[in-house]
Amino acid sequence: ILGPTSDEIQQINHFRYVGRAYFRRGDTEKGIANLELLKRRLSRLKRETDLAVDRAVALARFEGKEEKVVDERRKKANEYNSKKIGILTRAVDELQGHALLSEGKTPEALAKFIASIDTDKKSIDVDDAFLADLEFRAGKSDEALKRLRERVEKTTNQVRPLAALTEMLWRQEKKDEAKRTFESLRLI
């Protein structure tokens, strides 16, 4: 395991990825330890942000500033840690999803994994094939196929998305379509 870094965002991602690895290899205890660490960091960061907002608002009011200026300072103080809070929240959501999955709560886990998607960047830190598998196990077969088809459309000549789609089609008893996607997979 890599040592700590002074870059807080890298450190958050480090604990997220290590926690994910622990959960996926079946070491739930260590995965939960990483989850709890991230939850404490998130709680502390939210407290620090609340204090910074309170200070900024109090100072603006003490200086006799107009309400518009008070609101601007509140917004500025809130924005300071918003990126880290977002990253931490998504990391906590993902690891909570893994914890729920280890308890056999697939639908609840799926909701947490979907919450961990960074919608601002439109990037997904949780693998589409993994999400599609959870959707399938949660009884959302159509959503699973839709997710994988969209992934295949976005990535040309990529083996993994096409293989995941082929497998999902086969699992859903759509054998003819699975055979066609397998043939296109063989061409790559």
Side-chain angles (χ1 to χ4, degrees), residues 33-134:
N34 274 271
L35 170 60
E36 292 303 319
L37 186 142
L38 290 173
K39 284 166 76 174
R40 284 192 304 273
R41 279 182 178 232
L42 179 59
S43 177
R44 184 181 67 232
L45 195 57
K46 284 181 176 179
R47 259 191 332 271
E48 289 171 5
T49 301
D50 289 344
L51 287 171
V53 168
D54 290 346
R55 269 189 239 113
V57 167
L59 182 61
R61 288 193 175 136
F62 178 76
E63 293 171 349
K65 301 293 183 185
E66 294 177 17
E67 200 58 34
K68 182 180 177 183
V69 174
V70 172
D71 287 341
E72 287 172 6
R73 289 193 183 175
R74 176 183 291 118
K75 183 179 177 185
K76 186 175 180 180
N78 240 335
E79 287 175 354
Y80 182 73
N81 285 327
S82 66
K83 181 179 179 183
K84 287 181 202 171
I85 288 173
I87 291 169
L88 263 169
T89 301
R90 288 186 297 278
V92 166
D93 284 340
E94 180 186 345
L95 294 187
Q96 284 176 332
H98 282 292
L100 288 165
L101 198 57
S102 72
E103 296 170 6
K105 299 177 180 176
T106 304
E108 296 92 338
L110 177 60
K112 284 294 184 179
F113 285 119
I114 289 174
S116 75
I117 296 172
D118 184 355
T119 55
D120 294 337
K121 291 183 180 178
K122 304 260 190 256
S123 68
I124 300 174
D125 201 25
V126 180
D127 182 53
D128 279 322
F130 179 73
L131 285 175
D133 178 60
L134 289 179

